[in-house]
Amino acid sequence: MTLFDGISSRRVDTARLGVSVLERTGDSPATPAERTVVLVHGNVSSSLFWQELMQDLPGDLRVIAIDLRGFGGTETRPVDATRGVRDFSDDLHATLEALGIGAAHLVGWSMGGGVVMQYALDHPVLSLTLESPVSPYGFGGTRRDGSRLTDDDAGCGGGGANPDFVQRLRDGDASADAPTSPRAVFRSGYVAPGYATENEDIWVESMLTTATVDGSYPGDGDASAHWPGFAAGTTGVLNTMAPRYFNTSAIVDLDPKPPILWVRGTVDAIVSDASLYDLNHLGKLEVIPGWPGDEVAPPQEMVTQTRDVFNLYRERGGQVTEIAMEGVGHSPHLERPAEFRRALLSAIGYIGLAQHPAPPTEAIILSSSD
């Protein structure tokens, strides 16, 4: 792994599997929980994506980034998708137990947002920062209210992965020669047009750590009588977010309710009300033929669903802050790092905010958390 200055990697042996974690070399294990931040990456990525943020956060915090199973340096084990993302969240809990960390501030990006929401349903947390999170109703195949479109989650899960993209992950393809290469997918899906960085090779290196053996990414599928002809399977990464297995909307009933920070980009191609990764939306755009129409297969309103759940969370006494960064894609922590850092520090109640000047106000849309 390519590590930045001041970042170290080690293997943590847990009761479930061996987990790779990134830490900052100066951080103290004795740091109290209220100043401990745990970072959880998303799908087809790893902890390497967090390194810029880790470097930029104040030195009196303890910052840890973990690799989920089958990503980065963590052991590859089959993912039981019928448990939703609980294999991942249980691994996270086992890791924090091994490190002697109880309730802490959790940050989850994309699929990692689903992992930390599930974690909060099962274990106490101090706060949740959700960056471009999967909808509380999973990925694909639901109406606005979270009800499932079909009894087999047609169009969801492992069968929806592009086989050429999977093969290029397997081959370690770091080129940009095809639109299905990981580098091209990063440029078109992970970030907004115009994002440029000298660290792109490292982000692609992170994507290429994705395990593609059976039971890992993308997962299996099944035949379906419904359009587009396949349904979610039972193993592997993508199936964990199929709506029959994944539903974290019960966070509205948490007691106590940790404060939630929701950060998203307004031009996110992956998690949006018009996601280019939602097969129903692609059918509506006529990219996939035979779409049966809005009554049968409406695109998933991912952002609207998340806001509906978080509004109910707020109505039931919780605190939710939504930040929508204009012109930003799926990765606000990469695309607007100063703004993301400022928002995170505020969310965890960090008292040293004066050392971290606020970003330009026109770059942030902030909804009331009252």
Side-chain angles (χ1 to χ4, degrees):
M1 294 189 295
T2 303
L3 299 180
F4 289 12
D5 289 344
I7 306 295
S8 63
S9 172
R10 66 174 166 127
R11 174 70 67 93
V12 176
D13 292 323
T14 78
R16 293 176 57 82
L17 77 171
V19 176
S20 176
V21 302
L22 297 188
E23 299 171 296
R24 302 189 304 184
T25 54
D27 288 357
S28 169
T31 303
E34 61 267 22
R35 288 194 283 113
T36 299
V37 179
V38 181
L39 307 170
V40 182
H41 64 82
N43 191 17
V44 191
S45 63
S46 75
S47 60
L48 293 179
F49 268 97
W50 292 118
Q51 292 186 95
E52 289 180 336
L53 177 64
M54 294 177 74
Q55 286 183 323
D56 289 345
L57 287 173
D60 57 348
L61 298 176
R62 184 183 185 189
V63 186
I64 298 168
I66 78 152
D67 285 332
L68 300 175
R69 65 168 62 192
F71 299 96
T74 290
E75 219 176 311
T76 297
R77 294 277 183 91
V79 177
D80 180 359
T82 66
R83 305 184 69 235
V85 294
R86 288 178 182 86
D87 273 356
F88 296 132
S89 61
D90 288 352
D91 292 346
L92 172 60
H93 183 249
T95 304
L96 297 186
E97 275 197 322
L99 292 171
I101 298 172
H105 300 285
L106 301 189
V107 182
W109 173 36
S110 193
M111 183 182 75
V115 173
V116 301
M117 282 191 280
Q118 182 62 55
Y119 188 100
L121 288 172
D122 299 331
H123 309 284
V125 300
L126 298 181
S127 71
L128 291 175
T129 294
L130 306 173
E131 179 187 12
S132 310
V134 61
S135 162
Y137 299 119
F139 198 94
T142 56
R143 301 175 184 86
R144 177 174 174 173
D145 65 0
S147 58
R148 292 162 59 202
L149 299 179
T150 66
D151 59 4
D152 60 359
D153 292 343
C156 301
N162 185 299
D164 192 59
F165 174 65
V166 176
Q167 187 60 50
R168 289 174 183 273
L169 284 175
R170 190 171 292 130
D171 294 342
D173 180 9
S175 75
D177 294 342
T180 52
S181 73
R183 188 180 299 271
V185 169
F186 170 79
R187 293 174 179 176
S188 65
Y190 286 40
V191 293
Y195 170 81
T197 173
E198 63 184 9
N199 294 320
E200 184 179 84
D201 286 347
I202 300 173
W203 309 154
V204 175
E205 174 189 340
S206 175
M207 296 172 71
L208 292 174
T209 68
T210 303
T212 56
V213 297
D214 288 348
S216 296
Y217 182 85
D220 63 351
D222 204 353
S224 174
H226 306 285
W227 185 89
F230 72 88
T234 61
T235 65
V237 174
L238 293 186
N239 293 311
T240 66
M241 294 174 281
R244 71 168 129 167
Y245 307 133
F246 180 96
N247 189 324
T248 58
S249 63
I251 60 171
V252 300
D253 297 320
L254 285 177
D255 184 21
K257 290 179 168 60
I260 292 176
L261 169 64
W262 174 26
V263 183
R264 63 183 182 86
T266 61
V267 295
D268 189 341
I270 298 175
V271 176
S272 82
D273 286 356
S275 170
L276 296 178
Y277 290 71
D278 177 6
L279 268 68
N280 288 353
H281 180 60
L282 293 178
K284 188 170 186 174
L285 295 177
E286 300 183 347
V287 175
I288 301 175
W291 179 64
D294 277 317
E295 290 298 317
V296 176
Q300 184 187 11
E301 299 175 81
M302 302 177 187
V303 171
T304 299
Q305 288 178 333
T306 301
R307 186 176 294 112
D308 287 347
V309 171
F310 288 173
N311 281 342
L312 185 56
Y313 189 91
R314 186 183 287 117
E315 289 172 12
R316 295 186 180 180
Q319 178 184 344
V320 181
T321 301
E322 176 185 353
I323 296 180
M325 296 188 181
E326 291 289 346
V328 171
H330 192 59
S331 310
H333 76 283
L334 298 181
E335 299 171 72
R336 300 277 178 83
E339 294 156 38
F340 186 87
R341 179 192 65 210
R342 172 77 182 188
L344 173 58
L345 292 175
S346 179
I348 68 173
Y350 182 70
I351 62 174
L353 282 171
Q355 304 168 15
H356 301 270
T361 55
E362 65 270 19
I364 291 181
I365 303 170
L366 181 62
S367 71
S368 171
S369 60
D370 299 330

